[in-house]
Amino acid sequence: MTRQGLNGLGVVLAGCAKPGRVDLPYRLDELHLDTAVVSTVLALWGAGWFIGQVLCGWLADRVGRRATLVGAMTVAAVGFPFLAEARTPQSLGVAAVMSGLVYDAPRPIVAALVADTVPDEPGRARITGWRHFAVNLGAATTGLVGGALAEPVGIPVLFWCNAVVCGAFAVVALRVVPPPSSGPSLRHGTHRQAFTDPLLWLLWLASLLILIPVAALFSVLPMMMAQDNLPPTAYGWTQAASAAAVIVLSPLLNPLLVRRARHPTPMVGLLSTSGIILGAGMGSAGLASSTVGYGVAAALAVPGEIIAFVAATDILNRIAPQQSRGVYAGIWGTTLAGAVVCAPALGGWALALGGHHLVALITFMTGLLGAAFCLPLAVLLQSSARASARQSS
């Protein structure tokens, strides 16, 4: 394997590991805190996740990919034990912010690393697709293992295990991530371009809307299943159905996406298509009433999820300046955190106002609206390409 291939493999391995989905609500429930404290701690964790994406992306450009990745995972290795042992509202709030900041830290850093290490778009698309596959496989595995161990060993022990994994990841990242001298450094002031780039913000808005149905799988779906008097194990089966669909469909879809990445134009059309698939797939859950029906809805949404992450990353790689890849990836990375906030708010409102059928309509319309925002994005990308061609001629 070539050095480039080894670096690419290292990037994939680095991207597959991240702090696991935190069982913070269960931990707070164990402490018998009142609703206001629980809501505040969860909100602080979500705020940390949102801010951490931009911060880690900015630091990846400013101080280097490896330093930021190793530092973030070191903070995670310290923050999770703190979260496990915290008891008071104040200490829980601080621990929640710390763990939230680094919860999804690898996403923008690894996105920038892939763009640095792999020069061609098909190679980048291949790594993005398989990384998404690996992350989902890891999430399914840790979810099953964590669920089995939570009662016999306790939630705090799981946080400590998470910390050990993050510390090991920091060591691995130190060994496999290219040294700082091999990546671009951020020139002073160039990060401001990201906050005023209409291409990035149109991509951000379209992605946020398209990912809300993805987040609904973890927030709205259990609410609807509870209303149908289905047991918690039924929700576990929907997660298993989703994970199985990712495992089966990723090897089929990834080669098609790699071939599409060879085209000179970004995957805007595919991103739009993913919004329709996700909206329709997760929206169909509003018409279900059984475990099988909910599981089928979760599986139907999976092709849209796979396409969405690869297509959005393809567009991001093409619009991000070399010296600002981390910042661009960090800003885009906040879309998933934003979707996790928006999905339960929209779902709860729809459930209270019109029941499951309104949830189905709202979910489908959200995906459709995200697909619609791809149209001005495509027009602006074409105008930008023509302007660049005129300047170079």
Side-chain angles (χ1 to χ4, degrees):
M1 185 179 288
T2 63
R3 179 176 177 79
Q4 176 182 319
L6 288 170
N7 285 340
L9 178 60
V11 168
V12 173
L13 292 173
C16 291
K18 75 172 189 175
R21 186 171 296 276
V22 180
D23 294 322
L24 185 55
Y26 296 102
R27 175 60 180 152
L28 298 177
D29 182 65
E30 285 183 348
L31 297 174
H32 305 292
L33 302 168
D34 62 55
T35 304
V37 173
V38 171
S39 299
T40 300
V41 173
L42 291 175
L44 288 171
W45 186 82
W49 181 6
F50 194 94
I51 295 168
Q53 288 292 286
V54 180
L55 178 63
C56 289
W58 180 79
L59 286 172
D61 287 335
R62 179 66 68 174
V63 303
R65 320 305 195 206
R66 182 165 65 174
T68 306
L69 191 57
V70 172
M73 291 301 95
T74 302
V75 171
V78 174
F80 282 117
F82 185 21
L83 196 59
E85 302 303 326
R87 296 288 188 277
T88 66
Q90 294 78 10
S91 61
L92 284 166
V94 173
V97 171
M98 281 181 63
S99 59
L101 283 170
V102 295
Y103 166 68
D104 205 16
R107 186 181 299 277
I109 305 168
V110 171
L113 269 171
V114 170
D116 292 344
T117 310
V118 183
D120 60 289
E121 294 302 336
R124 294 170 179 175
R126 182 180 295 106
I127 288 176
T128 301
W130 285 113
R131 178 177 177 253
H132 182 69
F133 168 83
V135 168
N136 276 273
L137 182 60
T141 303
T142 55
L144 289 172
V145 174
L149 294 177
E151 187 172 349
V153 304
I155 297 294
V157 174
L158 298 182
F159 282 107
W160 278 95
C161 292
N162 209 346
V164 172
V165 172
C166 290
F169 178 25
V171 174
V172 172
L174 191 62
R175 296 289 300 272
V176 305
V177 174
S181 59
S182 65
S185 59
L186 181 68
R187 294 192 295 269
H188 290 290
T190 55
H191 64 277
R192 296 175 185 173
Q193 177 184 348
F195 294 94
T196 57
D197 188 341
L199 290 171
L200 176 59
W201 289 107
L202 275 173
L203 174 62
W204 186 91
L205 183 56
S207 299
L208 173 66
L209 292 165
I210 288 169
L211 291 177
I212 285 176
V214 176
L217 176 65
F218 307 105
S219 55
V220 183
L221 207 65
M223 288 192 287
M224 292 193 296
M225 296 181 76
Q227 287 192 353
D228 283 330
N229 298 315
L230 295 172
T233 52
Y235 176 66
W237 282 112
T238 66
Q239 297 292 293
S242 176
V246 170
I247 293 170
V248 171
L249 293 176
S250 289
L252 301 176
L253 287 175
N254 285 346
L256 300 176
L257 294 169
V258 169
R259 284 201 292 271
R260 171 58 182 84
R262 296 192 180 101
H263 292 198
T265 56
M267 298 185 190
V268 183
L270 280 176
L271 182 62
S272 178
T273 302
S274 73
I276 298 172
I277 296 172
L278 280 165
M282 284 308 302
S284 67
L287 309 177
S289 58
S290 65
T291 302
V292 173
Y294 284 113
V296 169
L300 287 175
V302 164
E305 179 185 344
I306 295 170
I307 294 170
F309 279 100
V310 175
T313 304
D314 174 78
I315 299 168
L316 189 69
N317 287 336
R318 296 176 192 253
I319 67 174
Q322 184 184 29
Q323 69 276 8
S324 302
R325 284 170 175 160
V327 173
Y328 271 67
I331 291 174
W332 183 84
T334 62
T335 56
L336 188 55
V340 168
V341 173
C342 293
L346 281 173
W349 170 80
L351 276 174
L353 190 65
H356 291 203
H357 287 175
L358 185 58
V359 172
L361 178 62
I362 293 296
T363 304
F364 177 66
M365 293 303 297
T366 301
L368 196 62
L369 187 60
F373 271 103
C374 290
L375 179 59
L377 175 61
V379 172
L380 196 58
L381 279 167
Q382 290 175 357
S383 300
S384 178
R386 286 195 295 266
S388 298
R390 285 196 297 270
Q391 289 176 359
S392 60
S393 61

